[in-house]
Amino acid sequence: ARVEAAAYDDKGRTAVAKLDGGKLLIAKVMADGVSARVMGQGQARVHAGKRNVSLTFGDLGYPSLNMRLENPPAWLTELGAQS
């Protein structure tokens, strides 16, 4: 898969990338490791605010992703408008 766009939180502990083929890559630092998931864009619900973005997932075993971004990128806020 090819990364089309990516966003990282201010602390560098969470990230979301838009992949080709309509997929998202979600990465989160957890304790002493990194958790990553690849899923279709329709499996993530995006809530975008002025400086915060929250993603919740249909996979109940994966915790929601809360990101503080100084300027959320347009592609991420557009995903919020679609969900």
Side-chain angles (χ1 to χ4, degrees), residues 7-12 14 49-53 67-74 76-77:
Y8 304 87
D9 76 344
D10 293 343
K11 295 181 182 178
T14 58
K50 280 189 172 187
R51 295 178 189 231
N52 294 311
V53 175
M67 302 175 69
R68 180 163 174 78
L69 302 169
E70 194 60 39
N71 259 333
L76 199 49
T77 54

Side-chain angles (χ1 to χ4, degrees), residues 25-67:
L25 169 66
I26 311 298
K28 185 174 188 175
V29 174
M30 300 175 77
D32 63 347
V34 175
S35 175
R37 294 277 170 104
V38 175
M39 62 186 65
Q41 290 180 13
Q43 293 178 282
R45 175 168 259 164
V46 181
H47 304 280
K50 280 189 172 187
R51 295 178 189 231
N52 294 311
V53 175
S54 174
L55 289 92
T56 53
F57 312 104
D59 179 356
L60 296 177
Y62 198 70
S64 61
L65 186 76
N66 299 305
M67 302 175 69

